[in-house]
Structure formats: C-alpha cells, structure tokens
Amino acid sequence: MSIVKTNALLTEPKWLRYLLIGITLLCLSVLLLLPLLSVFSYALAKGWELYMAALLDDEALAAMRLSLLITLIVVPINVVLGVAMAWLLTHFTFRGKQLWTTLLDLPFAVSPVVAGLMFVLLFGSNSWLGSWLEAHGVQVIFAIPGMILATLFVTFPFVARELIPLMQAQGSSEEQAALILGASGWQMFWHVTLPNLKWALVYGIILTNARAMGEFGAVSMVSGHIRGETNTMPLLVEMMYNEYNMVGAFAVSSLLALLALCTLLLQKYLDWRQTRMYRDAQRARIAVTN
C-alpha cells in the first residue's frame, strides 16, 4: 500500500474534523470567552466614571498595594528556592531524593484552603509556636507574614517544575567542561547554567506571579479579612460581592482578569521569541555546514 493511501486512511472525514473543531470552539467560548467578556461588561455597565471610582477607592488601592507587595516578596524567594531545589534534584543523588521530588508536588495536591488551615494551626495563637511568636511581638496569622507564607506554599513548585525537566535533558556536560577549564562555581552558574535556563526560569516566574496575584483560598484562611490591611484583590472581590457592591467587585475582577491576560500574552510572546531564536540558530548551523 502506498504512502498516499495510508495517509488517506489515517485522515478523518471533513465532517468529523469540522464537528470536533466546532465542539471545541463552543466549549472554549462558553467556559472561557463568555465569562471573561461578562466580567468586563458588568464592570463597565454603569459607566467609565463609576468604574474608575471603584478602582481608585481607598480599600481597592490598599488591596492592590498589598497584592503587589506579596508578589514582590514571594516571586524572588521562589526563584531562589526553585533554582536551588531543581539543582539539588538534578545534580545530586542521595537517600530520600524520591521523597523530596514527591513533596515538591504537595502544593498541587493539597487544597489551598487546607494549606491555609495548616498555617493557622501552626502559627495560630493557640499553638506553641504562635503563642511564642506573639509573646515576642511577631504576629503571623491575620497579618501580612502569614499571607506571604501561604502564598509561598501554593506557588513554590512552579519555578522548580519548569527547571527540572530542562536541567535533566541538558545534563551537566557543559558545566563540567567549565569547571575543568578553571571556572569557579559562581562563574559556571552565571555564565553556563543560568543562560541555558533563562527561558524556563522566565516561564516559572510568570506562572508564580500569576498565581501569587490571584491566590484566594490559602490567603483567605490566614488574612482575617481586615479592611484596608489584610485584604488582597481576590479577597476584596469576595467582600464587595457579599456586600452587593457589584460595580466594585466586577471592577477589581476585571483588573485581575486584565493582569491574567497580560501574563498570557507575555508568555505567548516569549514562546514565539524562543521558537524564532531556535529556528534562526538552526538556519545558521545549516548555512555553516553547507
């Protein structure tokens, strides 16, 4: 049987192809596009002035500043911890390595609400550690430190999980060559390891930033919902919605949705740029070979 006939047998009929495409587009529209459009529609339903007034409200501005503060603290910490964890799990062999690899996925498996409750039990005023910290003037639960810890927990795996497959695929031959040629450990990391990981690291940072800005469950358990102090943007949306402040709730929701869209566009741009650089490198290699 010829290759053409074989390909014809493996190709689905046009009607089936169009049916599957139509079902996929319908599901995406109902589940993703329409809810997103409805958020912006309800946010702007009563005019641009009320929309901007809701975003410039003191509580909304305080929630934005707190969300930004938590993100600015959590992302750099996760970058350092993620790179260290990925390096540990890909460059060393030790007893219990599989256990640590499994624990890395724990924030994915545990509900964010349960994660927040764990921190309440650990650092709450009824616990030994929490009472000791409060006696020394350190409040974790119902304060910003607890919100940072909860956000760190739920965002911890993103950077490491982006780096580990790439580091396993690349191996350590280039790093060993750098060490043989006289480079120090830091020189090897900055000039060999980090350039090879930069795109995966950027993806991990983008995902961590998006999750930190939008986290609700774990942060809700440890925040205390103190007006103007411990309400992030997702928590403020819930509070406004419960108070029937629909304009404010949808206005802040639209801002979160806009941040998510910007994150997605940035990720797609980086994907396109990486693909383009890879193709250019292949063409240059072929040109040199010829």
Side-chain angles (χ1 to χ4, degrees):
M1 184 179 293
S2 64
I3 297 177
V4 176
K5 291 183 179 180
T6 303
N7 290 336
L9 291 174
L10 294 176
T11 303
E12 69 279 356
K14 285 187 177 180
W15 68 267
L16 179 58
R17 187 186 314 167
Y18 292 145
L19 178 62
L20 293 176
I21 293 174
I23 293 174
T24 302
L25 292 177
L26 179 62
C27 292
L28 290 176
S29 299
V30 173
L31 297 177
L32 298 178
L33 186 59
L34 290 180
L36 184 63
L37 293 176
S38 65
V39 168
F40 288 98
S41 175
Y42 279 107
L44 297 170
K46 294 187 178 181
W48 179 259
E49 292 183 357
L50 288 179
Y51 176 79
M52 291 304 301
L55 291 181
L56 296 177
D57 181 73
D58 290 340
E59 287 190 9
L61 292 175
M64 294 176 197
R65 287 193 294 267
L66 181 56
S67 295
L68 182 61
L69 174 65
I70 292 175
T71 302
L72 290 177
I73 294 174
V74 166
V75 171
I77 294 176
N78 264 328
V79 168
V80 175
L81 294 179
V83 172
M85 181 63 73
W87 184 277
L88 174 67
L89 295 179
T90 56
H91 287 72
F92 298 97
T93 301
F94 54 91
R95 182 176 297 178
K97 178 179 178 179
Q98 188 59 43
L99 175 62
W100 283 107
T101 305
T102 303
L103 290 177
L104 183 61
D105 294 328
L106 184 63
F108 290 145
V110 175
S111 169
V113 175
V114 176
L117 182 60
M118 290 190 301
F119 284 104
V120 171
L121 295 176
L122 181 62
F123 294 103
S125 58
N126 294 327
S127 68
W128 174 85
L129 181 58
S131 59
W132 183 85
L133 289 173
E134 288 187 3
H136 290 78
V138 179
Q139 184 176 356
V140 177
I141 302 303
F142 305 148
I144 295 177
M147 302 172 71
I148 293 174
L149 288 174
T151 308
L152 274 172
F153 178 85
V154 298
T155 59
F156 177 74
F158 288 105
V159 172
R161 275 302 171 197
E162 288 292 328
L163 295 179
I164 288 175
L166 181 60
M167 295 177 76
Q168 289 175 336
Q170 289 179 345
S172 59
S173 57
E174 294 184 11
E175 296 160 351
Q176 292 176 0
L179 293 175
I180 292 174
L181 293 174
S184 65
W186 281 110
Q187 289 175 330
M188 176 201 67
F189 177 78
W190 287 110
H191 298 287
V192 178
T193 304
L194 196 59
N196 290 335
L197 301 177
K198 60 181 180 180
W199 293 114
L201 184 59
V202 169
Y203 295 152
I205 292 174
I206 291 174
L207 293 175
T208 302
N209 177 77
R211 181 64 185 273
M213 291 292 291
E215 175 56 31
F216 174 82
V219 174
S220 177
M221 295 296 296
V222 300
S223 69
H225 298 272
I226 304 173
R227 287 180 176 272
E229 295 184 17
T230 62
N231 272 335
T232 59
M233 286 194 288
L235 300 183
L236 183 63
V237 170
E238 184 206 25
M239 186 190 73
M240 289 181 169
Y241 184 81
N242 291 334
E243 294 176 351
Y244 300 100
N245 183 3
M246 297 304 175
V247 175
F250 283 108
V252 179
S253 297
S254 68
L255 183 58
L256 285 170
L258 187 61
L259 291 173
L261 289 175
C262 291
T263 301
L264 181 62
L265 291 176
L266 178 60
Q267 184 178 5
K268 292 303 178 184
Y269 168 74
L270 294 174
D271 284 335
W272 170 80
R273 185 175 178 182
Q274 184 181 13
T275 303
R276 183 178 178 182
M277 292 177 63
Y278 177 73
R279 290 176 179 174
D280 292 342
Q282 280 188 324
R283 291 172 183 172
R285 191 180 299 112
I286 294 173
V288 171
T289 304
N290 295 335

